[in-house]
Amino acid sequence: MEMHFFFSDKVVLLFDFWSVHSPAGMALSVLVVLLLAVLYESIKFFKAKLLHQALVSMPLPTSQQLIEETDQDSSSSESPSVSSTCFRWFLCHFGQSLIHVAQVVLGYFVMLAVMSYNTWIFLGVVLGSAVGYYLAYPLLSMD
């Protein structure tokens, strides 16, 4: 295995079955890696957007609401709203955690593809990250 960047149309990416031996295979592999990098940037955007929406939709911070509940004698009619808010916060946090795991796994796959030290693959990752950021960034400011 080469330990420096090189131009070649022969490389093994991520798994033994993803073995490239032709220029057409390299072009297809670069396209796949480019799309993975775009997907990585899209997941980053989606995670930030979901967090923003979750924070906006919560009427009070959960910790503040729990403090208020313990300070006052809560009646049985107020208990379901606190419980539903906590459950909603838990679901949001669980969803964020799953998205984070997907982002980390995808990030490691992209990193391992770059560690093949193939210059074409590296350029595909760089271009995919640039395209993904370019497409996702304007959507971040829209509400």
Side-chain angles (χ1 to χ4, degrees):
M1 181 173 162
E2 303 281 337
M3 293 305 290
H4 59 278
F5 282 98
F6 62 97
F7 287 95
S8 176
D9 61 353
K10 294 173 177 50
V11 70
V12 175
L13 287 173
L14 300 178
F15 304 102
D16 286 336
F17 62 83
W18 192 353
S19 183
V20 180
H21 299 290
S22 67
M26 179 56 71
L28 183 63
S29 295
V30 168
L31 180 66
V32 168
V33 170
L34 184 141
L35 292 175
L36 286 175
V38 169
L39 180 63
Y40 177 81
E41 291 294 329
S42 301
I43 288 174
K44 258 182 17 179
F45 152 75
F46 180 67
K47 190 169 93 169
K49 194 76 165 173
L50 188 65
L51 178 64
H52 174 72
Q53 288 176 351
L55 291 176
V56 167
S57 71
M58 294 288 177
L60 287 173
T62 306
S63 59
Q64 183 179 351
Q65 193 171 11
L66 290 174
I67 290 171
E68 288 176 0
E69 180 191 42
T70 57
D71 285 348
Q72 56 183 266
D73 293 330
S74 61
S75 65
S76 61
S77 64
E78 290 180 28
S79 184
S81 67
V82 171
S83 174
S84 70
T85 301
C86 288
F87 183 69
R88 211 170 44 163
W89 178 86
F90 172 77
L91 286 179
C92 265
H93 183 63
F94 186 74
Q96 285 278 342
S97 299
L98 289 179
I99 292 170
H100 178 74
V101 167
Q103 180 186 359
V104 167
V105 168
L106 191 59
Y108 276 119
F109 280 165
V110 170
M111 178 197 67
L112 287 173
V114 168
M115 287 179 64
S116 70
Y117 293 106
N118 187 293
T119 306
W120 298 119
I121 298 297
F122 174 72
L123 292 174
V125 169
V126 170
L127 185 62
S129 293
V131 168
Y133 183 81
Y134 179 79
L135 293 176
Y137 181 73
L139 298 175
L140 203 63
S141 61
M142 291 183 198
D143 284 318

